Amino acid sequence: MLSSYNWPGKYRPFAHQVTTTEFLVSNRKSFCFNEAGTGKTACAIWASDFLLSKKAIRRVLVICPLSIVDAAWRNDLFTFAMHRSCVIAHGTTAQRRKAVASGTDYVIINFDGVGTILPELLAGGFDLIIVDECNSYKNSQIVRYKVLQKLVAKAKGLWLMTGTPAAQSPTDAYGLAKLVCPDKVPRYFGAFRDMVMYKAGPFKWLPKANAQETVFNVLQPAIRFEKRQCLDLPPITYVDRYAPMTPQQTEYYKRMKRQGLIAASGEQITSVNAAAMVNKLLQIACGSAYTDDGGVLEFDASARLGAMKEIIDETQHKAIVFVPHRHVIARVYEYLVRDKIKAEVIQGGVRSATRNDIIRRFQNSPDTKVLVLQPRTTAHGVTLTTADTVIWYTAPLAGVDTYIQGNARVDRAGQKNPMTVYRLQGSPIEEKMYKALHDNVELHVSTVTLFRQEIEEE
């Protein structure tokens, strides 16, 4: 069908991407369950661009987590369909309305933004809706779901995308199926639950033996490729994820920059005090800043924690999360445990024997999903090949060696899966530091330069 299509730019897709693109074009309402790192976004862009070029659709609405509206969708649209116009509908209600009214080919909006401008979206002429990380719509009873239902009712096409369908429970498939193929599931959730689960106690439900087959049948039409099937993928894929600071974080971040500006105007900035100031900025971005008297000032870090969890939910195997500060490590661990994600921690205070036991369990037991690590403590000499996902909670101030060696914990003998390194960022200094790491610039040499660039923007 697409054999004569002129792919944008010099990029040539892999065979699995051509197949996925053809599948989406042929199935206006369908699922794409390709594993993270296999190019789901590019496939959806090529398929929707083809439909736009044939005038089969007029506009495309992309609904996704806030952390990837820019880093994934806008960037990939520029890479794979630069001839198309796009806009991000984020900010105030007025700004969102203006974005929808702009008439661009693609409008990208985060999950919670949809409900704020539903009338404008309904009138926006969106024939195709693409929902990335669609597991956020698995519950058919929440307001977010009912809002999407109203949009879907007016659209010609709907593509739901996730690498981990029904990952938590077979009942997760119900909400997704009702959006794409409602005729495949019962009208009420309770009837579907009885199809895939049995009651094992007063408050305990367990999957039936045929639950997987039932879920497979209701989530159709669908396509899936896994990383191991896509042999042309590079061994490590690097992905930036945006985790915006809250207004409170932004205000304290600006205060810290102003203090740095005052210090810089009065005396020579050395690498030691520049590193201390950069460290403070990173702490604020992470949500927990140490005060001069040893206390901890905590901020709302829900966006960063949420972005981290989105990545973990996408991960088919295991993940390691590098977090620089002990108090932040504690917050990350508590968040994961509260979300019923089995995690363990290694930081400077953990004894060697205990550390070895934790690593042994992580490597050999299927129970532990996430290992939260302090980079200086575990960036060298540790093998963690059961994980194929690395998450940097913020940029490592220790330098490029720590960054490279940290990534090498999964990229070593015994690794069987292609790997993905995610870099969370929400502040200007993190963006500068990741760029320096990408360019292999030694951060301990360039910290003064990075700090001066940051405070000069004030």
Side-chain angles (χ1 to χ4, degrees), residues 4 54 74 116 127 150 170-172 183 185 250 254 264 279 287 339 352 364 369 373-374 379 406 409-410 421 424 441:
S4 62
K54 297 299 182 183
R74 181 156 64 178
T116 64
D127 301 307
K150 294 178 181 179
T171 55
D172 291 350
D183 57 312
V185 291
T250 303
K254 289 180 178 178
N279 196 23
D339 233 77
S352 177
N364 299 313
K369 171 80 171 179
L373 306 174
Q374 195 168 25
R409 296 315 92 215
V410 300
V421 175
L424 296 181
V441 175

Side-chain angles (χ1 to χ4, degrees), residues 275-290:
M277 293 298 290
V278 169
N279 196 23
K280 288 288 187 185
L281 294 175
L282 293 176
Q283 290 173 21
I284 293 171
C286 286
S288 297
Y290 294 93

Side-chain angles (χ1 to χ4, degrees), residues 104 181 211 321:
T104 54
C181 45
V321 184

